[in-house]
Amino acid sequence: MARRQVRAAGSRGWLPWLGFALLPLAVTPGAPPGSCPSACYCVATPELVQCRYERLEEPPGELPLTVHNLSIVGSNLSVLHRAAFAARPLPDLRVLRLHHNNIQTIEDMALQGLPALRTLDLSHNPLQSVAAGAFAGVPLLRTLQLNQALLAAPLEDQLALALRNLSLRRLELAGNALRALPTALLPTGLEELDLHNNSLQRLAAPELRILDAPGLRGLRLTLGNNPLSCDCALRPFLAWLRAATSRVSDAHSLCCSGPLALRRAILLRLRPEGLVCTGEEDGEPGQLETASYVFFGIVLALIGIVFLMVLYLNRRGIKRWLHNLREACRDQMEGYHYRYEQDADPRRASTIDTPGL
């Protein structure tokens, strides 16, 4: 019994010290600068900061200097102004996630003050303007995520200027309704390109030649969930895919979206001779059908020209025939007129009424 009392007294003695030791781990979001911003919360340590759905209009200024991973989601950062993070530079920040923030404009040097940034996520923002020097302050950027961020305006030329001095290794462009390979956005040395869930029907021969250029031979693609049209125009891409299957991460799961007879067919299981030139999906004519319409129009034009030539060469005979037709109609009308006058004569009518006179 005495031993139990001693143990209880000992435990009551170190419990207060344990509370003081755990107190720094229970700091609320309202902690002073250097630990966690007031509009955000830190996960485990100040090195990971998340600011979710706080309706911020600019990045928080009291971020801890040791943050490595910063996530701002669901705010209203419509414009990333110049030096938006420069007021309190973050020398150790590696990952910056700014998705779902209604970002529309990125000004020059907007990311100044983040010299160690390697991953930038701008997905799900209605981007409309990207300045040529938007990424000038992040020379070590290697991964750029722009999923569903290019739907509001065509930004390929603007982004090409903004990315010209970067050494990107991974570029994500999923869900942007792209109908062609964005060749202007493929810097030399790019290793991964995510194009899934776009509107690609095929990769044309000129695009395939760009992918085989010396600076992009190590590029790996992701092409799933694209409406691939398995007609004769797909043959160059099918041949390339068979020869470079390792360069497309989801090559074995690519399926046809049309025509109807090949819908959901595995692309790598098809033979080139089985890809025929037929009408495309959604009522758009295929190459063969378009050529048929052109040929039919040319034939009709030739028939019209021949008909007009016949009329021109036989113009005298046609004029004579029209003259005879007019004279015949005139004689017929005169005969009708004469009979009408005879029937309308009152003397002839009285003679017919009194036959005995």
Side-chain angles (χ1 to χ4, degrees):
M1 187 66 180
R3 290 180 180 178
R4 291 181 181 178
Q5 291 177 352
V6 171
R7 290 178 181 176
S11 63
R12 285 193 299 269
W14 57 264
L15 278 176
W17 295 103
L18 179 61
F20 283 113
L22 295 178
L23 184 59
L25 299 179
V27 176
T28 62
S35 58
C36 204
S38 59
C40 311
Y41 62 92
C42 300
V43 179
T45 66
E47 296 179 354
L48 175 58
V49 178
Q50 296 185 358
C51 310
R52 294 180 175 270
Y53 305 101
E54 294 292 339
R55 309 306 299 172
L56 301 173
E57 295 186 357
E58 60 183 13
E62 65 272 17
L63 292 166
L65 294 177
T66 58
V67 61
H68 289 176
N69 190 324
L70 173 61
S71 177
I72 303 176
V73 181
S75 293
N76 189 28
L77 307 177
S78 57
V79 178
L80 278 184
H81 296 284
R82 183 184 183 92
F85 297 88
R88 186 179 177 85
L90 304 173
D92 296 328
L93 187 66
R94 304 288 194 276
V95 179
L96 176 60
R97 304 191 184 279
L98 298 175
H99 53 88
H100 293 95
N101 284 301
N102 193 35
I103 299 175
Q104 302 176 25
T105 302
I106 303 179
E107 297 182 351
D108 283 316
M109 301 296 293
L111 301 175
Q112 185 179 8
L114 308 177
L117 188 66
R118 291 182 173 271
T119 299
L120 175 62
D121 188 358
L122 294 170
S123 302
H124 302 278
N125 286 294
L127 293 179
Q128 299 181 13
S129 176
V130 178
F135 307 118
V138 284
L140 299 181
L141 188 65
R142 296 295 179 265
T143 299
L144 179 60
Q145 297 169 314
L146 294 171
N147 303 316
Q148 295 190 31
L150 310 180
L151 297 172
L155 295 177
E156 186 170 345
D157 294 337
Q158 296 184 34
L159 283 172
L161 290 175
L163 301 178
R164 67 188 184 280
N165 294 324
L166 294 179
S167 300
L168 287 181
R169 294 296 178 263
R170 178 177 176 82
L171 178 61
E172 297 185 11
L173 299 173
N176 285 304
L178 298 176
R179 301 181 65 88
L181 184 71
T183 55
L185 303 182
L186 305 183
T188 301
L190 189 66
E191 298 176 355
E192 297 181 70
L193 178 61
D194 190 349
L195 293 174
H196 82 274
N197 196 26
N198 277 286
S199 300
L200 298 173
Q201 294 185 340
R202 66 186 66 84
L203 293 183
E207 297 170 335
L208 297 175
R209 287 194 291 270
I210 292 175
L211 292 178
D212 288 333
L216 294 175
R217 288 178 180 173
L219 178 62
R220 290 174 54 84
L221 304 174
T222 303
L223 298 172
N225 294 325
N226 277 287
L228 299 176
S229 179
C230 295
D231 54 10
C232 59
L234 192 72
R235 291 174 185 171
F237 174 61
L238 180 58
W240 180 88
L241 185 63
R242 291 182 183 278
T245 305
S246 60
R247 296 186 59 184
V248 181
S249 60
D250 50 359
H252 294 281
S253 61
L254 295 180
C255 299
C256 299
S257 178
L260 185 61
L262 295 176
R263 183 169 294 177
R264 297 183 181 177
I266 302 298
L267 193 60
L268 287 176
R269 296 180 183 177
L270 300 177
R271 292 186 174 183
E273 57 271 18
L275 302 177
V276 297
C277 296
T278 59
E280 297 178 350
E281 292 297 311
D282 300 329
E284 297 180 3
Q287 295 180 354
L288 182 61
E289 188 176 355
T290 302
S292 300
Y293 283 133
V294 172
F295 179 75
F296 182 67
I298 294 175
V299 170
L300 288 180
L302 291 176
I303 292 175
I305 293 173
V306 171
F307 180 73
L308 292 176
M309 291 181 63
V310 170
L311 291 179
Y312 177 76
L313 295 175
N314 199 30
R315 62 188 183 278
R316 294 182 179 178
I318 295 174
K319 184 177 180 180
R320 189 182 305 112
W321 177 77
L322 290 175
H323 178 73
N324 294 336
L325 180 62
R326 185 180 61 180
E327 293 297 329
C329 292
R330 180 182 296 175
D331 293 341
Q332 188 71 19
M333 292 301 297
E334 289 179 353
Y336 286 139
H337 183 66
Y338 176 75
R339 282 196 290 271
Y340 174 76
E341 289 180 348
Q342 291 293 326
D343 293 340
D345 189 354
R347 292 175 297 176
R348 182 178 175 82
S350 60
T351 304
I352 294 174
D353 292 338
T354 58
L357 296 177

